[in-house]
Amino acid sequence: MEVIFHEKQEGSLCAQHCLNNLLQGEYFSPVELSSIAMQLDEQERMRMAEGGVQSAEYRTFVQQPSGNMDDSGFFSIQVISDALRVWGLELILFNSPEYQTLDINPINERAFISNYKEHWFTVRKLGKQWFNLNSLLTGPELISDTYLALFLAQLQQEGYSIFVVKGDLPDCEADQLLQMVQVQQTQRPRLIGEDLAVRNQRVQATEEDEGTRVLDGSAMMDEDEDNLQKALALSRQQIDMEDEEADLRRAIQLSMQGGLCLDATESASSSQPQTSETCTQESLTQEELRQRRQMYFAKQQPSKPEHQESAEN
């Protein structure tokens, strides 16, 4: 349906979108419609001035804002009618009893313009199919021939004013192409507000999912930190045990050296007298070694029976 021209809503420029969607092109801008509205205002002012510029009616008229446009971008039916008159097109009120008495089947018409609470939109036949070209929709909405009469009746029931577009519409690519092929629509377009809400929900869900992943990552980092601390503690314990074993090995070596020195000293006692100070130092060294061995074995075997300790002593 890309071939169908469909202007989406901007501000309150629904009259511009309605006309361009009807004519299937960028035929009118806000500046051009404003110019038509000012011309209509001037024509109305001149008619009111015929009754006298000093009259209360005239002074009231000139003090009132324009009835053909406002600052929001709204344009009246008179502006739309004058804009279409340039293309030789005329608007007839579909709701009027006069037109209803003609008993014309809606599918035999070419286009309709609808208005409700200052919102204008177009329903037009392109090729052999009808489309709702409402600027508030995300895209053209296909309307079957059987549903067209019900669709218009529903608009009437909801308070819409419906106008039949009479005259030859300008040629357009969509009309030429859809004369040869027909469109199949599997999914109806949503209102722009609904589509925006759906996109916002998707964005929010994505952000929440990313936030969850960040939290999971933080939890994993905390767990890794705990594991690292435990590994460091075990490593420090292992280093302490290795240091104690090294101390024990050094103590045993010193003990053996001390024993050898004592043997050598005893053998040489007859030839070289030993001073009391030297014996005291050797005796203290052996006592320290014995205490170190007991402390190490006590750590390795904390539940050793007392009779074993007595035997070692």
Side-chain angles (χ1 to χ4, degrees), residues 126-183:
L126 292 168
K128 301 177 182 180
Q129 295 174 291
W130 283 91
F131 296 91
N132 178 10
L133 303 178
N134 194 334
S135 58
L136 292 177
L137 295 175
T138 56
E141 180 184 18
L142 179 63
I143 302 176
S144 65
D145 290 350
T146 56
Y147 180 65
L148 178 64
L150 296 175
F151 179 74
L152 295 175
Q154 181 181 356
L155 293 180
Q156 286 182 290
Q157 185 176 5
E158 294 176 357
Y160 279 81
S161 298
I162 304 174
F163 299 88
V164 184
V165 180
K166 289 291 188 180
D168 295 329
L169 293 165
D171 293 334
C172 65
E173 182 182 0
D175 187 50
Q176 295 173 359
L177 180 61
L178 295 179
Q179 292 287 349
M180 298 179 289
V181 297
Q182 288 192 343
V183 171

Side-chain angles (χ1 to χ4, degrees), residues 179-193:
Q179 292 287 349
M180 298 179 289
V181 297
Q182 288 192 343
V183 171
Q184 292 184 353
Q185 191 170 48
T186 57
Q187 185 177 2
R188 296 179 61 183
R190 292 189 296 265
L191 290 173
I192 292 177

Side-chain angles (χ1 to χ4, degrees), residues 21-304:
N21 289 340
L22 171 68
L23 301 174
Q24 285 293 285
E26 297 180 354
Y27 288 91
F28 291 100
S29 68
V31 175
E32 293 167 336
L33 295 179
S34 297
S35 177
I36 296 175
M38 288 187 288
Q39 292 177 10
L40 290 171
D41 288 344
E42 181 62 19
Q43 293 173 6
E44 293 174 2
R45 188 193 65 79
M46 292 177 62
R47 285 196 297 269
M48 293 297 298
E50 293 175 357
V53 295
Q54 300 301 325
S55 64
E57 290 81 5
Y58 180 81
R59 289 198 299 270
T60 302
F61 173 79
V62 295
Q63 291 176 358
Q64 292 177 347
S66 171
N68 294 301
M69 67 175 181
D70 59 25
D71 295 337
S72 68
F74 168 77
F75 295 99
S76 66
I77 181 61
Q78 289 80 11
V79 175
I80 294 176
S81 180
D82 277 18
L84 291 178
R85 194 172 290 118
V86 176
W87 294 91
L89 300 172
E90 181 184 2
L91 296 179
I92 299 177
L93 187 62
F94 177 77
N95 310 58
S96 64
E98 293 78 11
Y99 182 82
Q100 294 295 328
T101 56
L102 298 176
D103 197 24
I104 300 176
N105 191 333
I107 64 174
N108 294 327
E109 302 290 357
R110 292 294 302 169
F112 299 93
I113 287 179
S114 300
N115 172 264
Y116 180 66
K117 293 184 178 180
E118 299 184 350
H119 177 68
W120 298 96
F121 71 93
T122 293
V123 178
R124 173 173 172 170
K125 191 173 188 178
L126 292 168
K128 301 177 182 180
Q129 295 174 291
W130 283 91
F131 296 91
N132 178 10
L133 303 178
N134 194 334
S135 58
L136 292 177
L137 295 175
T138 56
E141 180 184 18
L142 179 63
I143 302 176
S144 65
D145 290 350
T146 56
Y147 180 65
L148 178 64
L150 296 175
F151 179 74
L152 295 175
Q154 181 181 356
L155 293 180
Q156 286 182 290
Q157 185 176 5
E158 294 176 357
Y160 279 81
S161 298
I162 304 174
F163 299 88
V164 184
V165 180
K166 289 291 188 180
D168 295 329
L169 293 165
D171 293 334
C172 65
E173 182 182 0
D175 187 50
Q176 295 173 359
L177 180 61
L178 295 179
Q179 292 287 349
M180 298 179 289
V181 297
Q182 288 192 343
V183 171
Q184 292 184 353
Q185 191 170 48
T186 57
Q187 185 177 2
R188 296 179 61 183
R190 292 189 296 265
L191 290 173
I192 292 177
E194 295 176 352
D195 186 63
L196 180 60
V198 170
R199 288 201 301 269
N200 289 338
Q201 290 176 355
R202 290 176 179 173
V203 170
Q204 183 178 1
T206 301
E207 292 176 349
E208 291 177 352
D209 183 60
E210 291 177 353
T212 302
R213 288 200 296 269
V214 170
L215 291 176
D216 292 343
S218 300
M220 292 177 64
M221 290 178 64
D222 292 341
E223 184 178 355
D224 292 342
E225 181 68 19
D226 293 340
N227 292 334
L228 177 60
Q229 295 298 331
K230 293 177 181 178
L232 290 175
L234 291 174
S235 177
R236 284 194 294 269
Q237 292 177 1
Q238 183 66 27
I239 291 173
D240 292 341
M241 292 180 63
E242 290 176 355
D243 289 344
E244 291 178 354
E245 291 178 356
D247 289 342
L248 179 61
R249 286 194 297 271
R250 285 195 296 271
I252 294 173
Q253 183 177 4
L254 290 173
S255 177
M256 293 175 65
Q257 290 176 357
L260 291 174
C261 289
L262 288 173
D263 293 341
T265 302
E266 291 175 353
S267 62
S269 59
S270 59
S271 60
Q272 184 177 357
Q274 187 176 24
T275 63
S276 60
E277 183 179 356
T278 302
C279 294
T280 303
Q281 290 178 352
E282 291 176 353
S283 176
L284 289 175
T285 301
Q286 292 177 1
E287 180 65 21
E288 288 175 354
L289 293 175
R290 187 181 66 81
Q291 290 178 359
R292 285 194 179 187
R293 285 197 298 270
Q294 287 182 348
M295 291 174 61
Y296 176 79
F297 286 123
K299 290 182 179 180
Q300 297 296 323
Q301 300 177 1
S303 60
K304 183 183 294 183

